[in-house]
């Protein structure tokens, strides 16, 4: 990892901390300093216990314990206890900081994704996004924890080396040897560790992709009798992950072994120096070796923490890529005032995809009316719905409400109080009640039941002893695909939107049920513009106009009169 990348990673790991967390970080440092001081004192107080009857020749008598071995043992035990308590308190505070940090990472990237324009997510897979929220953040949190441990190790090393220099400046001539050995050890395997970590993050994303929507995937695999191939493919990814995880631990172990061997050599060099340098007091030698010896586990953990920071680098790059998405800048509140006669007239609209672009002209949207959108798959229907919902900016847009001309930004405010349902959206809430209240938090139970009656889901729930609290995903009460679509349409009724966009949201219903449910929506939502994408021509029977996109990317709008005539001749 280059110095620029290290600096960028350290800056990024710290920049989301709040003021309260920064204060806690300062307290964490103070506790770490106190722990380092107490640990160093414990090492010094151990010397007279190792050499009973000898007075410590440093500190100007500060460490002379009157009262014999009992007082010396008490001092050692007190310093050790203080060290343990301070380290325990610092660990608890560090755990709280790590927990808040992980929570902040997830909240920030989720908020950015919620605000991101749809176009910026066109190349993102749901597996990668799920990875960002889960495992990827865990790796970053481990990097933040490693940063904390490095801080503790750095404070401990400075204070311990300061004590050792105070005990014997001459013996501390060996400290540079230990430092040089540690720097040599820290450079070993660093490049391989970075490559392995980066590959591991990529393989985790592939594993998410391989495991996505597993029940539906399993049906597909079994129908093609490809179970063995699926097992082999999954096994290949699992093997790559196993190798990556194993290799990371091996590299940590290799680095720790090399570090311990080199540091042990450095401490041995201090003994040799003390032997050849006449006049070195044995108590000083013991104190210095005890102080340097207590640094050994910190140096070993420092090596491991640096490895965790390297592992966090590619994970943070992925997290930051989503944090750098632009904001769609949707208005915070809706501003759908009464339109002139309830009519919104889109004179011209051009957008991509599909192909080189699609032009829509003279599309009139009126409150209480249903517009049917039809065309072959991949022809641009979903892109049209995204533009109508204000979620994707078109290349050209000309519209008016009555005689008042509006631009796209004003149009977005007008349709902000909307509802969008597609065939690919599945409820993620726990129960029917939670799903409906998510759309209308103030709704009463009677309002919820009435909406379920409108979409024909009341009889299904009457069969359950739990009623509105029927769970959505348990094996005993799981709703079918068509029932889930009815539930989402009940959300639309409760929402009472200005504009409702249903992108094949009734595809799991049979033709007759589709007509019944859409008719109920028209009846219950007289102040709502309904735009329905459907491949069934029968929907034209209840539609007020039809927008058909041909294979030549020419959009044709047919009004109510011509539409009824076309249906009657069909």
């Amino acid at each position: 990892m280059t110095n620029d990348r290290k600096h960028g990673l350290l800056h990024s790991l710290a920049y989301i901390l709040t003021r309260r967390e920064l204060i806690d970080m300062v307290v964490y440092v103070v506790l770490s300093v106190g722990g380092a001081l107490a640990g160093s004192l414990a090492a010094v107080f151990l010397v007279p216990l190792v050499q009973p009857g000898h007075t410590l020749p440093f500190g100007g008598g500060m460490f002379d314990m009157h009262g014999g071995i009992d007082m010396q043992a008490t001092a050692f035990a007190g310093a050790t206890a203080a060290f343990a308590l301070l380290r325990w308190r610092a660990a608890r505070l560090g755990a709280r900081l790590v927990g808040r940090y992980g929570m902040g990472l997830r909240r920030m990237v989720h908020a950015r994704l919620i605000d991101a324009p749809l176009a910026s997510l066109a190349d993102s897979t749901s597996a990668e996004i799920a990875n960002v929220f889960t495992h990827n953040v865990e790796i970053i949190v481990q990097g933040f924890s490693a940063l904390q441990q490095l801080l503790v190790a750095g404070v401990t090393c400075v204070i311990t080396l300061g004590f050792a220099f105070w005990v014997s400046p001459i013996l501390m001539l060996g400290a540079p040897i230990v430092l040089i050995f540690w720097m040599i050890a820290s450079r070993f395997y660093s490049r391989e560790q970075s490559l392995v970590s980066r590959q591991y993050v990529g393989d985790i994303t592939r594993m998410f992709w391989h495991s996505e929507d597993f029940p539906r995937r399993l049906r597909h695999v079994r129908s093609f009798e490809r179970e063995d191939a699926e097992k082999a493919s999954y096994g290949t990814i699992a093997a790559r992950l196993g190798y990556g995880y194993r290799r990371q631990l091996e590299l940590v172990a290799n680095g720790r072994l090399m570090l311990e061997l080199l540091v042990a050599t450095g401490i041995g060099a201090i003994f040799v120096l003390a032997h050849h340098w006449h006049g070195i007091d044995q108590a000083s030698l013991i104190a210095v070796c005890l102080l340097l010896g207590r640094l050994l586990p910190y140096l070993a953990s420092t090596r491991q923490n640096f490895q965790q920071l390297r592992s966090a680098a590619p994970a943070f790059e992925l997290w930051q890529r989503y944090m750098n998405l632009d904001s769609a800048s949707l208005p915070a509140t809706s501003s759908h005032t009464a339109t002139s006669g309830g009519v919104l007239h889109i004179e011209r609209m051009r957008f991509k995809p599909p192909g080189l672009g699609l032009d829509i002209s003279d599309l009139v949207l009126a409150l209480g009316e249903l517009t049917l959108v039809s065309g072959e798959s991949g022809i641009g229907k979903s892109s049209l719905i995204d533009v109508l919902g204000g979620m994707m900016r078109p290349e050209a847009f000309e519209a008016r409400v009555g005689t008042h001309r509006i631009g796209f930004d004003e149009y977005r405010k007008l349709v902000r109080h909307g509802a969008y349902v597609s065939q690919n959206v599945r409820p993620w809430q726990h129960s029917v009640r939670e799903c409906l209240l998510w759309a209308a938090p103030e709704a009463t139970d009677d309002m919820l039941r009435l909406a379920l009656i409108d979409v024909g889901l009341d009889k299904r729930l009457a069969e359950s002893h739990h009623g509105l609290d029927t769970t959505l995903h348990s094996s005993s009460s799981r709703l079918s695909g068509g029932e889930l679509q009815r539930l989402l349409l009940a959300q639309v009724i409760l929402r009472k939107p200005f504009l409702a966009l249903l992108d094949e949201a009734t595809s799991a219903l049979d033709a007759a049920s589709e007509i019944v449910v859409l008719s109920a929506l028209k009846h219950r939502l007289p102040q709502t513009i309904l735009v329905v994408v459907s491949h069934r021509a029968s929907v034209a029977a209840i539609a007020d106009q039809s927008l058909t996109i041909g294979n030549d990317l020419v959009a044709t709008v047919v009004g109510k009169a011509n539409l009824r005539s076309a249906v009657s001749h069909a």
Side-chain angles (χ1 to χ4, degrees), residues 7-153:
H7 180 269
L9 174 61
L10 295 179
H11 174 73
S12 298
L13 284 171
Y15 87 94
I16 72 165
L17 296 178
T18 64
R19 182 177 180 182
R20 178 183 175 185
E21 289 163 348
L22 288 173
I23 293 174
D24 283 346
M25 202 69 175
V26 172
V27 175
Y28 181 79
V29 172
V30 172
L31 290 172
S32 300
V33 170
L37 286 170
S40 297
L41 286 173
V44 171
F45 287 144
L46 185 60
V47 174
L49 297 177
V50 175
Q51 280 192 322
H54 285 69
T55 301
L56 296 175
F58 48 85
M62 179 186 301
F63 301 103
D64 291 345
M65 293 294 169
H66 302 289
I69 193 70
D70 294 338
M71 183 61 71
Q72 293 166 352
T74 301
F76 168 74
T80 303
F83 166 68
L85 288 171
L86 288 169
R87 187 171 60 173
W88 169 77
R89 189 68 188 91
R92 286 176 59 88
L93 181 57
R96 187 167 68 188
L97 280 167
V98 169
R100 288 178 184 166
Y101 187 76
M103 177 183 66
L105 287 173
R106 288 189 172 92
R107 283 182 173 178
M108 289 176 66
V109 72
H110 183 265
R112 184 55 58 91
L113 281 165
I114 290 294
D115 293 337
L118 292 178
S120 65
L121 300 176
D123 297 326
S124 299
T125 65
S126 57
E128 184 176 78
I129 293 174
N131 184 26
V132 170
F133 289 142
T134 53
H135 180 78
N136 203 68
V137 168
E138 289 303 311
I139 295 178
I140 301 172
V141 170
Q142 290 175 13
F144 180 70
S145 179
L147 196 61
Q148 286 185 331
Q149 299 304 315
L150 287 172
L151 179 61
V152 173

Side-chain angles (χ1 to χ4, degrees), residues 43-272:
V44 171
F45 287 144
L46 185 60
V47 174
L49 297 177
V50 175
Q51 280 192 322
H54 285 69
T55 301
L56 296 175
F58 48 85
M62 179 186 301
F63 301 103
D64 291 345
M65 293 294 169
H66 302 289
I69 193 70
D70 294 338
M71 183 61 71
Q72 293 166 352
T74 301
F76 168 74
T80 303
F83 166 68
L85 288 171
L86 288 169
R87 187 171 60 173
W88 169 77
R89 189 68 188 91
R92 286 176 59 88
L93 181 57
R96 187 167 68 188
L97 280 167
V98 169
R100 288 178 184 166
Y101 187 76
M103 177 183 66
L105 287 173
R106 288 189 172 92
R107 283 182 173 178
M108 289 176 66
V109 72
H110 183 265
R112 184 55 58 91
L113 281 165
I114 290 294
D115 293 337
L118 292 178
S120 65
L121 300 176
D123 297 326
S124 299
T125 65
S126 57
E128 184 176 78
I129 293 174
N131 184 26
V132 170
F133 289 142
T134 53
H135 180 78
N136 203 68
V137 168
E138 289 303 311
I139 295 178
I140 301 172
V141 170
Q142 290 175 13
F144 180 70
S145 179
L147 196 61
Q148 286 185 331
Q149 299 304 315
L150 287 172
L151 179 61
V152 173
V155 168
T156 301
C157 286
V158 170
I159 292 177
T160 302
L161 290 176
F163 262 84
F165 186 82
W166 181 29
V167 169
S168 178
I170 295 176
L171 287 176
M172 283 308 296
L173 292 175
I177 300 175
V178 177
L179 180 61
I180 290 172
F181 284 164
W182 176 82
M183 292 180 64
I184 293 173
S186 66
R187 300 300 298 176
F188 275 96
Y189 311 114
S190 60
R191 178 175 175 79
E192 183 181 358
Q193 175 69 32
S194 179
L195 293 175
V196 169
S197 299
R198 193 173 300 278
Q199 183 63 48
Y200 189 77
V201 171
D203 287 336
I204 281 289
T205 299
R206 293 184 185 92
M207 178 64 78
F208 270 91
W209 177 256
H210 212 75
S211 307
E212 190 180 34
D213 199 8
F214 191 80
R216 295 174 185 267
R217 181 188 181 96
L218 180 60
R219 294 179 176 88
H220 184 72
V221 169
R222 286 181 177 174
S223 69
F224 280 80
E225 297 182 298
R226 297 293 291 168
E227 293 94 335
D228 291 340
E230 189 72 5
K231 290 175 183 177
S233 176
Y234 192 90
T236 299
I237 300 176
R240 287 166 62 95
L241 284 170
Y243 170 78
Y245 190 73
R246 186 200 78 197
R247 190 57 187 156
Q248 288 184 71
L249 294 179
E250 287 177 348
L251 291 171
V252 170
N254 292 345
R256 184 169 60 244
L257 173 63
M258 181 168 294
L259 177 63
E260 290 172 347
L261 292 176
L262 291 175
V263 171
T265 302
I267 293 177
I270 292 178
F271 277 102
V272 172

Side-chain angles (χ1 to χ4, degrees), residues 489-568:
L489 293 174
Q491 284 186 334
V492 177
I493 292 175
L494 291 167
R495 167 77 165 160
K496 292 182 172 60
F498 173 74
L499 173 66
L501 303 167
L502 310 182
D503 189 359
E504 299 189 51
T506 53
S507 59
L509 303 178
D510 60 74
S513 297
E514 181 180 40
I515 297 299
V516 171
V517 172
L518 291 178
S519 297
L521 260 69
K522 281 191 68 176
H523 174 71
R524 282 295 305 276
L525 301 173
Q527 297 301 311
T528 296
I529 298 171
L530 279 171
V531 178
V532 177
V533 176
S534 178
H535 289 287
R536 294 188 179 121
S538 56
V539 177
I542 60 170
D544 297 286
Q545 68 176 339
S546 169
L547 190 159
T548 303
I549 304 175
N551 292 331
D552 54 359
L553 295 183
V554 174
T556 304
V557 179
V558 177
K560 182 182 296 186
N562 293 332
L563 187 60
R564 294 290 183 270
S565 175
V567 171
S568 63

Side-chain angles (χ1 to χ4, degrees), residues 374-396:
S374 59
E376 297 295 328
S377 297
I379 207 71
K381 300 187 299 297
S382 294
S383 296
L384 169 63
I385 295 300
D386 287 340
V387 174
L388 289 177
M391 292 178 281
M392 187 174 80
R393 184 175 292 275
E395 291 184 343

